[in-house]
Amino acid sequence: MHTKILIIGSGPAGYSAAIYAARSALKPILIAGQQPGGQLTITTDVENYPGFAEVIQGPWLMEQMKEQAKSVGVEIIDDYITDIDLKIRPFSAVGAGGTIYTAESVIISTGAQAKWLGLPSEEKFKGFGVSGCATCDGFFYKNKKVIVVGGGNSALEEALYLTQHAAEVILIHRRDTLRAEKISQDRLFNNPKIKVVRNTVIEEVLGAEDPLSVTGVRLRDILTGKEYTMDIDGVFVAIGHKPNTALFAGQLDLDEDMYIVTKKGTTLTSIPGVFAAGDAQDKIYRQAVTAAGTGCMAALDALKYLQE
């Protein structure tokens, strides 16, 4: 299958890019990927996406974006890319079923995924008290008690942000010392709402069944082996994000954390005709609205490239 624009990934960035490309009469093909709709499909309440006065559901929002893309003529294919060659034009990609897609330009919107603790109980309560994004879900914990897991810059940023809403924030770190920058640590230790618990890990997330909600955690002191429970209302896992970019390693310029490097103020990558949008290249904001914005940018950048 050949197209002028091949869009890889179907989150807010991919769907937005597809909508703009289709409206420019470029007849894009969008490959939905292994998690169609991206991270929003595992997010329940969305309250910060512009245009909706009432709380909406993440999966519903992605379904609406998908339907809008289809309505303007985007060809959406339920497949995922297993191999890609960006060294030769036209670019070529191979789908899981063996289909070969060739394209004059490529927009990469494969997103990223939060790193999780790997606990069955964590999986059970994702979206029901367990979150990987404080700026997305912090508002729901006004005057409540929450835990942030991690010791790096992102964990401290999450903890500090949550103090704007929560009554108490407890930072749980498995080591004795934090890895974050000193300025972030100073802010953390000077905030009266934050308590730091070191040398401790979460063994289990505890909660209620009806309605499904987090009520506490079972913790273990790794120095003594002692286990104890703590009553809390929410768990924020902040041990980093992993962009879904391994497919492009060795072809595109990636930074030390595997995010695609783009030219400042654009979605241009190190290869002309290849563009990156959303969380695959954004390690700072990681919001649905910013992903959608860069998807728009990628489509316009691709249009300009094709015209030239």
Side-chain angles (χ1 to χ4, degrees):
M1 301 179 69
H2 182 76
T3 179
K4 290 184 178 179
I5 298 183
L6 179 68
I7 301 168
I8 306 174
S10 59
Y15 284 137
S16 297
I19 290 165
Y20 272 81
R23 287 173 58 85
S24 298
L26 295 174
K27 298 180 179 179
I29 290 176
L30 183 146
I31 308 300
Q34 289 181 290
Q35 187 181 9
Q39 294 184 83
L40 273 183
T41 59
I42 57 170
T43 302
T44 51
D45 293 345
V46 176
E47 203 169 33
N48 56 4
Y49 198 85
F52 302 95
E54 302 296 327
V55 177
I56 58 174
Q57 299 297 300
W60 177 86
L61 178 60
M62 298 320 302
E63 189 63 31
Q64 293 300 300
M65 288 191 187
K66 178 181 180 180
E67 291 303 314
Q68 184 179 4
K70 289 168 65 176
S71 72
V72 293
V74 177
E75 184 173 0
I76 299 173
I77 299 176
D78 289 325
D79 196 357
Y80 64 93
I81 301 302
T82 59
D83 192 24
I84 192 165
D85 187 349
L86 300 175
K87 298 183 178 72
I88 301 173
R89 291 179 178 77
F91 306 116
S92 62
V94 181
T99 302
I100 297 175
Y101 306 93
T102 59
E104 296 168 40
S105 64
V106 174
I107 295 175
I108 299 168
S109 53
T110 47
Q113 53 192 3
K115 295 179 182 177
W116 299 98
L117 302 173
L119 303 172
S121 55
E122 171 194 55
E123 186 68 31
K124 176 180 178 179
F125 289 103
K126 277 183 186 176
F128 298 94
V130 173
S131 172
C133 179
T135 51
C136 307
D137 301 323
F139 179 81
F140 301 112
Y141 296 89
K142 193 170 182 64
N143 299 322
K144 294 186 177 183
K145 182 179 178 180
V146 299
I147 277 178
V148 175
V149 184
N153 286 325
S154 60
L156 271 63
E157 288 169 7
E158 299 270 279
L160 287 164
Y161 175 83
L162 285 166
T163 60
Q164 300 176 46
H165 303 289
E168 184 178 359
V169 179
I170 298 170
L171 184 78
I172 303 290
H173 186 42
R174 66 182 297 119
R175 296 183 177 85
D176 184 52
T177 57
L178 303 177
R179 304 188 313 276
E181 297 171 351
K182 187 178 183 303
I183 187 170
S184 295
Q185 293 193 40
D186 290 342
R187 290 173 183 157
L188 184 90
F189 293 128
N190 288 327
N191 194 306
K193 282 190 172 184
I194 300 177
K195 176 184 176 182
V196 179
V197 178
R198 298 178 174 86
N199 299 312
T200 299
V201 294
I202 294 180
E203 289 291 307
E204 184 182 10
V205 179
L206 308 173
E209 293 292 334
D210 190 18
L212 200 60
S213 59
V214 169
T215 59
V217 288
R218 180 163 57 89
L219 302 172
R220 177 171 60 86
D221 185 313
I222 63 173
L223 297 181
T224 66
K226 179 183 176 182
E227 293 189 1
Y228 58 99
T229 60
M230 180 184 293
D231 293 336
I232 50 95
D233 301 296
V235 176
F236 288 85
V237 180
I239 56 176
H241 281 73
K242 180 183 178 182
N244 301 316
T245 57
L247 186 66
F248 313 105
Q251 300 190 74
L252 290 175
D253 286 350
L254 308 177
D255 71 8
E256 66 277 8
D257 297 314
M258 295 292 287
Y259 287 85
I260 298 173
V261 176
T262 52
K263 183 180 177 181
K264 188 174 181 180
T266 76
T267 62
L268 279 67
T269 70
S270 55
I271 296 179
V274 180
F275 309 88
D279 288 8
Q281 57 88 40
D282 173 20
K283 63 196 299 182
I284 299 174
Y285 302 105
R286 297 197 300 262
Q287 300 297 304
V289 67
T290 51
T294 54
C296 161
M297 292 167 59
L300 297 178
D301 286 341
L303 174 61
K304 182 180 178 183
Y305 167 81
L306 293 170
Q307 288 174 335
E308 291 176 349

